[in-house]
Amino acid sequence: MSEIITGNNVDVLRTMKGGYVDLTVTSPPYEDLRKYNGFSLDFDGLVSELYRVTKEGGVVVWVVGDKTVKGSESGMSFRQALKFIDAGFRLHDTMIYEKDSLSFPDKTRYNQIFEYMFVFSKSRPKTINLIKDRPNKHANGRKHIKGNYRTADGQTKRHNKQNLLQPLGVRNNIWRISTGCNKSTTDKEAYKHPAIFPEKLANDHIITWSNEGDVVLDPFGGSGTTAKMAALNNRQYIHIDCSEDYNEIARGRLAKV
């Protein structure tokens, strides 16, 4: 059953039975934004509860960036990733979400246009539907691709890369996604939220790490993007946010689905 719930995410998750959620796709408030409409983030408690409610083989996609403090990045994203590992999750993949625009040019460093997408799994992922949309330059009607690879003891051996013959291959783990007005979403009401989750990002993770009928969670539901894309892909959703104002935005978007 799909739900939009107002409340502190840790408290809400503690009411759920263990091993219930197939996939979590979320992005937490960053750094000093952890006090969010009067609520503070209990990060350790959240990670512990996410591990408990995630099914064996379930996945958590954690999209996060770092704040720059006194000219240096905080490294909070990596600290959070290590906390997930300490809690028992495997770091299945470290992915990059590349934006097509930048908010604030920096005079002392290269322009910051990406965030991390840490993909954690509770044991080996039970669902992997990798998206194949990368043009394969090696196809061209050839029957096989020959090449070399090096074994663990340093020897060189020949191989035939038959998988390279497909016209479209599995995409890389750097995803370039358009952001901004009418690009993250066409839902006008969503822009009342200060940090909109791009629909394409949520959509592509949902179809990669879950199947129809699965339960998709967003403990920082915000404007409801994860819930909306879960519904559009025939998944159940659990949307949690401490702000009733933001949940009203989410309900309005879900009503259109």
Side-chain angles (χ1 to χ4, degrees):
M1 180 177 178
S2 296
E3 295 181 277
I4 294 179
I5 304 171
T6 303
N8 181 288
N9 50 27
V10 176
D11 294 339
V12 173
L13 291 177
R14 284 174 178 156
T15 68
M16 293 171 54
K17 64 182 179 181
Y20 183 69
V21 175
D22 295 278
L23 171 66
T24 296
V25 180
T26 195
S27 182
Y30 299 169
E31 306 288 349
D32 55 358
L33 294 178
R34 282 184 286 176
K35 289 187 176 180
Y36 178 84
N37 280 18
F39 288 85
S40 296
L41 170 59
D42 176 7
F43 180 76
D44 290 344
L46 177 60
V47 174
S48 176
E49 283 303 306
L50 284 175
Y51 188 83
R52 186 184 67 81
V53 302
T54 299
K55 289 181 181 177
E56 200 69 23
V59 165
V60 174
V61 178
W62 188 261
V63 183
V64 67
D66 286 313
K67 179 183 177 183
T68 299
V69 181
K70 295 181 179 180
S72 298
E73 293 185 355
S74 66
M76 182 61 70
S77 57
F78 294 106
R79 294 191 183 104
Q80 291 181 353
L82 291 173
K83 287 280 189 178
F84 274 91
I85 295 171
D86 290 343
F89 284 100
R90 298 182 184 182
L91 179 54
H92 182 70
D93 197 359
T94 300
M95 301 178 63
I96 296 293
Y97 152 38
E98 181 187 354
K99 305 172 187 179
D100 65 348
S101 60
L102 64 150
S103 301
F104 303 104
D106 196 316
K107 295 181 179 179
T108 64
R109 68 188 72 237
Y110 294 108
N111 294 328
Q112 174 59 268
I113 60 168
F114 81 91
E115 296 176 11
Y116 294 103
M117 300 189 294
F118 294 111
V119 180
F120 302 104
S121 61
K122 188 173 179 179
S123 72
R124 186 183 184 280
K126 62 184 178 62
T127 302
I128 303 176
N129 306 311
L130 299 179
I131 300 170
K132 296 181 179 180
D133 58 3
R134 177 180 53 82
N136 188 349
K137 66 180 181 180
H138 295 293
N140 298 325
R142 296 161 69 179
K143 294 182 178 181
H144 60 274
I145 304 295
K146 292 184 177 180
N148 297 322
Y149 71 97
R150 196 171 293 277
T151 62
D153 59 5
Q155 296 184 48
T156 300
K157 291 190 175 182
R158 298 284 287 174
H159 63 66
N160 290 326
K161 287 287 188 180
Q162 299 293 339
N163 61 320
L164 294 178
L165 301 179
Q166 303 300 317
L168 293 176
V170 172
R171 69 166 61 165
N172 298 324
N173 65 356
I174 298 177
W175 291 1
R176 193 168 196 267
I177 296 175
S178 296
T179 59
C181 187
N182 293 322
K183 292 191 289 185
S184 294
T185 178
T186 57
D187 297 340
K188 301 296 184 183
E189 64 270 38
Y191 293 94
K192 297 176 184 178
H193 191 279
I196 303 171
F197 214 28
E199 288 184 352
K200 181 169 177 54
L201 184 152
N203 179 83
D204 290 1
H205 278 300
I206 287 168
I207 63 176
T208 298
W209 310 111
S210 69
N211 295 315
E212 290 192 6
D214 282 354
V215 176
V216 178
L217 165 70
D218 188 345
F220 299 99
S223 64
T225 298
T226 297
K228 174 184 175 180
M229 304 320 292
L232 286 172
N233 285 288
N234 299 315
R235 275 73 165 167
Q236 301 177 70
Y237 60 82
I238 301 173
H239 164 115
I240 305 171
D241 201 278
C242 61
S243 170
E244 178 60 20
D245 291 338
Y246 294 153
N247 285 345
E248 278 301 305
I249 297 173
R251 292 186 186 99
R253 296 179 72 190
L254 266 298
K256 299 177 182 178
V257 175

